[in-house]
Amino acid sequence: MSIAASDAVRPPIVAAGDAGSGIFAYCSQQYRVVFGAGTAARLGEETERLGIKRALVLTTPEQQDLGRRLGAGLGDRLAGLFAGARMHTPVEVTNAALRIVESHDIDGLVAIGGGSTVGLGKALSLRTGLPHIAMPTTYAGSEMTPILGETTNGIKTTQQSQDLVPDTVIYDVDLTVSLPPHVSAASGLNAIAHAVEALYAPDANPLTSLMAEDGIAALARALPRIMDAPADAGARRDALYGAWLCGVCLGAVGMSLHHKLCHVLGGMFNLPHAETHAIVLPHAAAYNAAAAPDAMTRVARALRTSDTPQGLFDLARRLGLPRRLADIGMPEDGIARAAEMAVRSPYANPRPVERVAIQDLIAAAWRGDAPAQH
């Protein structure tokens, strides 16, 4: 079964209700979603709907064979394959792909892969205005957000624009079945991080909070099953559904301390994106726990635990994910430098972002300590 969003462009929805002060705003994103098993077969139909005649397929080097296989379904609409997408969207990679776009009369982009590939598609679409189709193969959720993080000389910066949201997202559960369990787990914790922060964002609202809690719950029940039985179709469907909801949440509200820390750490030390999120998340939740009790209650309920930071830490341990930043390549002498960078231009956060406390948080994550309030 597949579910397709309406073709009509949807206007922003502004609603009022019981959220915080009793007043809130909710703006819907303008995109189309096709969800289900076997929906990759709809790629040709979706390119035709967007008027794409010369599509450039984007992948990482590891997924270029998948890109060729799915791209073949485009027939004469396939103009080329660029298999150079990399973590943290380095601008030099974007510029290399842009030269191909310009020299081959490309009029549309198809990003097949995880956050690295979708990020490249966003960067190219932003620079060219070309339509962008995303086909996620992980649970990162980037395809649902109007956010782009790009890295230049080790510094990662973010920008936000509705133009960054892909025009169509094709969620095919079948494309995730071959995702290795470890990668699935890290990607899923990354998605959960989106929803956790959405629950205490200053612009949180009842709709995104409902999606956040449901998304966390879907991933929390699916990921352990995927570790035990990677081909479990029901678990894969639940995980992809949860990732979709968590990505929507991140796209609808602002980011806070957790994402700031991960952007700093990933950009400065070229750390693996999803694993960084998985390690930092319990510590960021502990930092904000006292300042965001309602959010912690909802996360705990979704995780079926009484302690949100510890529950997130235990879930990562159950999934066999690394618990120490030291284990994924961060040097100990980078702790102070990262803390200094993290307190510059901080994102809105429930608790004030304090230099000493942030350094303690990063140090605890570097050592792999259990989460504790700082």
Side-chain angles (χ1 to χ4, degrees):
M1 181 182 71
S2 65
I3 304 169
S6 169
D7 290 344
V9 175
R10 296 169 294 173
I13 299 171
V14 180
D18 183 20
S21 65
I23 300 173
F24 70 92
Y26 172 75
C27 295
S28 68
Q29 305 293 332
Q30 297 180 2
Y31 51 72
R32 173 180 170 85
V33 169
V34 182
F35 187 99
T39 52
R42 302 272 291 274
L43 177 58
E45 176 185 328
E46 292 302 318
T47 55
E48 182 177 5
R49 192 185 68 84
L50 290 170
I52 298 173
K53 295 181 172 59
R54 292 184 56 79
L56 179 65
V57 171
L58 309 170
T59 72
T60 61
E62 295 79 12
Q63 292 190 298
Q64 57 185 313
D65 289 343
L66 176 63
R68 289 192 186 95
R69 177 168 66 83
L70 296 180
L74 293 172
D76 293 341
R77 294 179 188 273
L78 177 63
L81 170 72
F82 179 83
R86 285 169 43 200
M87 282 193 312
H88 309 304
T89 321
V91 292
E92 62 269 22
V93 172
T94 300
N95 290 337
L98 186 59
R99 288 191 288 272
I100 294 176
V101 169
E102 293 171 344
S103 62
H104 288 74
D105 297 323
I106 301 299
D107 65 358
L109 307 162
V110 178
I112 301 172
S116 298
T117 307
V118 174
L120 176 59
K122 288 180 175 181
L124 291 171
S125 181
L126 183 67
R127 288 162 169 77
T128 63
L130 294 178
H132 176 199
I133 296 173
M135 301 181 69
T137 61
T138 73
Y139 307 127
S142 173
E143 67 282 351
M144 282 292 111
T145 74
I147 300 163
L148 171 64
E150 296 184 286
T151 304
T152 305
N153 299 323
I155 303 298
K156 190 168 186 177
T157 58
T158 60
Q159 54 185 309
Q160 185 163 338
S161 168
Q162 293 305 316
D163 293 336
L164 290 168
V165 181
D167 299 274
T168 298
V169 179
I170 300 176
Y171 285 110
D172 189 336
V173 177
D174 294 342
L175 295 183
T176 67
V177 172
S178 61
L179 188 67
H182 171 82
V183 180
S184 301
S187 178
L189 260 292
N190 182 12
I192 286 175
H194 303 333
V196 171
E197 292 229 299
L199 285 167
Y200 56 62
D203 50 352
N205 62 74
L207 281 79
T208 56
S209 294
L210 285 171
M211 288 187 284
E213 186 173 346
D214 198 25
I216 294 168
L219 282 159
R221 67 174 177 262
L223 295 176
R225 290 158 56 201
I226 289 171
M227 298 301 293
D228 296 337
D232 184 330
R236 292 291 184 176
R237 183 185 61 249
D238 285 350
L240 195 59
Y241 168 76
W244 173 14
L245 293 184
C246 292
V248 170
C249 293
L250 180 63
V253 300
M255 296 179 291
S256 296
L257 174 64
H258 170 80
H259 282 83
K260 177 69 173 185
L261 288 171
C262 291
H263 291 159
V264 167
L265 294 167
M268 288 183 73
F269 308 112
N270 196 34
L271 304 182
H273 181 81
E275 285 83 355
T276 303
H277 277 267
I279 293 169
V280 171
L281 180 58
H283 300 280
Y287 186 93
N288 283 326
D294 292 343
M296 295 301 123
T297 296
R298 298 190 76 147
V299 178
R301 186 164 58 212
L303 296 175
R304 298 184 177 180
T305 184
S306 59
D307 184 328
T308 287
Q310 188 63 44
L312 292 167
F313 189 76
D314 291 343
L315 178 59
R317 180 166 48 192
R318 165 68 176 85
L319 300 175
L321 292 172
R323 285 175 284 165
R324 305 193 315 154
L325 291 173
D327 291 338
I328 61 171
M330 181 182 171
E332 185 174 11
D333 64 6
I335 294 173
R337 289 187 288 129
E340 181 63 33
M341 183 68 71
V343 299
R344 295 181 188 172
S345 303
Y347 299 165
N349 195 62
R351 174 183 167 184
V353 178
E354 300 164 341
R355 171 69 171 72
V356 173
I358 293 302
Q359 182 165 329
D360 289 344
L361 184 163
I362 297 172
W366 186 86
R367 293 188 302 266
D369 297 347
Q373 294 191 37
H374 301 282

